[in-house]
Amino acid sequence: MQTIPSLAHAARALLACSLAATALAQAQPQAEGYPTKPVKVIVPFSAGGVVDSVARIISDKLSTQYGKPFIVENKTGAGGSIGTDYVAKSAPDGYTLLAVSPSHAVAPALQKSITWNPVRDFKAIAGFGYVPNIIVVHPSLPAKTMAEFVALAKKSEPPLTYATAGLGTSNHLSGELLAQEAHIALAHVPYKGQSEALNDLLSGRVNMMPLTSALAIPHVKSGKLRALAVTTAKRSSASPDLPTVAEAAQLPRYNVGTWFGFVAPANTPAPVLQKLSADIAQILAQPDVKTKLESLGMELAPQNAEQFDSFIAQESEKWGQVIQQAGIEPN
């Protein structure tokens, strides 16, 4: 009585193995021969920015390695959502990639019109590293350490102000997370860009700014700004004597940085993703690449495809909760 079911089960198992072997056989040549034509790398922001610069450094090396052009295209608009949506709807064949930064995980919580999902609609290729922000204040503010700033903020009326490059930017997220973790009130003052925000900080119109390290360090050295802490979990190699917010203010969960990487549309063949991931890891280890990326203020922290997928999912959940708790309504 059990013979027929056993044979049926065996037949199904054999069929499943056969289909898996066929799929692997079909996918493997895609990895071995990839790429056979130019690859588009979509940057959802303007040319000349950090995301664009990072994408071009990696793309140039991939072009050299594979002997096929990796062409960077800037598709801007809607805070990066237009270019991201374009890639989400592109063929999942490895010939359209997306350069990503924190907005990839944050934007869906800020814009009602977004239909793509950073976890559902994309597969990670590799993470490159991150650029820390530095919490800087105008020298007129009577706070010389992060702990003193938190203490001052707790008794300030009206609240201390902090400048950002706009809603949902790394500056904004750094300030909002600080307010939530330290249980302080801070007044967000958004600008159209980081340079405009920096100008008002330098003039003393605002009290504080979580500023990109590459921009902050020259003003700190000149005495025009005072540095209190870096926003990332680890100290910055560019400012090793500067403590992290987590250690200086006893806020162990505090960690914010502007991260970078490449992703592809969901359903892109795994062997292609793995090949790109492995080759990018080798590229990131090249001395000239490290020098170029570090000149942009980046701390190298390579992540493979699986690690970067997990990281993006965690970032999406983390910032969705922060935005909800802050009461920020999607536009």
Side-chain angles (χ1 to χ4, degrees):
M1 294 294 290
Q2 295 180 352
T3 305
I4 293 176
S6 297
L7 287 174
H9 177 76
R12 285 195 297 269
L14 184 60
L15 177 60
C17 290
S18 177
L19 291 174
T22 301
L24 181 62
Q26 291 174 340
Q28 201 62 35
Q30 288 181 288
E32 290 176 357
Y34 174 88
T36 60
K37 60 182 181 180
V39 177
K40 291 191 293 186
V41 178
I42 303 300
V43 173
F45 302 104
S46 300
V50 180
V51 179
D52 178 75
S53 298
V54 171
R56 291 179 188 277
I57 290 169
I58 303 301
S59 297
D60 285 349
K61 285 291 185 177
L62 287 170
S63 298
T64 300
Q65 175 140 345
Y66 292 138
K68 298 291 181 183
F70 277 66
I71 304 168
V72 174
E73 293 186 12
N74 300 92
K75 290 188 178 293
T76 63
S81 295
I82 289 177
T84 304
D85 186 65
Y86 172 84
V87 177
K89 295 175 179 175
S90 296
D93 55 8
Y95 290 93
T96 305
L97 313 180
L98 177 68
V100 293
S101 59
S103 65
H104 185 65
V106 174
L110 294 174
Q111 299 181 43
K112 291 180 180 178
S113 60
I114 287 178
T115 58
W116 52 265
N117 180 282
V119 177
R120 180 195 65 217
D121 297 321
F122 298 91
K123 292 297 292 183
I125 296 170
F128 310 150
Y130 57 87
V131 174
N133 287 324
I134 296 179
I135 303 289
V136 288
V137 297
H138 190 268
S140 63
L141 196 73
K144 292 182 171 58
T145 67
M146 199 68 228
E148 289 180 2
F149 178 86
V150 170
L152 181 63
K154 285 184 175 180
K155 63 183 182 182
S156 290
E157 187 60 45
L160 297 179
T161 56
Y162 74 100
T164 77
L167 188 69
T169 60
S170 179
N171 321 114
H172 181 207
L173 299 177
S174 296
E176 187 55 53
L177 186 62
L178 176 62
Q180 291 183 17
E181 291 294 310
H183 304 289
I184 57 177
L186 294 174
H188 177 213
V189 185
Y191 292 80
K192 292 183 178 180
Q194 198 160 229
S195 59
E196 292 91 337
L198 175 58
N199 287 337
D200 269 12
L201 177 65
L202 289 169
S203 67
R205 292 190 181 94
V206 288
N207 304 126
M208 182 270 281
M209 184 176 180
L211 183 62
T212 303
S213 59
L215 289 177
I217 289 172
H219 294 293
V220 170
K221 288 181 176 179
S222 70
K224 294 179 180 178
L225 295 175
R226 180 186 301 129
L228 301 183
V230 293
T231 60
T232 44
K234 295 180 180 179
R235 293 193 181 199
S236 170
S237 58
S239 305
D241 295 332
L242 195 61
T244 66
V245 171
E247 61 182 305
Q250 299 299 301
L251 302 173
R253 298 192 304 173
Y254 190 92
N255 180 19
V256 190
T258 302
W259 44 265
F260 306 90
F262 281 177
V263 300
N267 299 318
T268 298
V272 172
L273 298 176
Q274 291 162 4
K275 180 176 183 178
L276 282 167
S277 181
D279 290 337
I280 287 174
Q282 293 180 355
I283 286 170
L284 291 173
Q286 295 177 11
D288 61 325
V289 172
K290 292 176 67 175
T291 299
K292 290 176 181 178
L293 293 177
E294 287 171 355
S295 73
L296 298 173
M298 184 184 291
E299 304 278 340
L300 291 180
Q303 293 176 294
N304 63 28
E306 184 178 0
Q307 291 168 333
F308 198 40
D309 257 334
S310 177
F311 175 78
I312 290 172
Q314 291 169 6
E315 286 285 283
S316 180
E317 181 178 1
K318 170 184 174 178
W319 294 116
Q321 291 175 353
V322 170
I323 289 166
Q324 184 179 30
Q325 185 175 331
I328 300 171
E329 293 292 331
N331 294 325

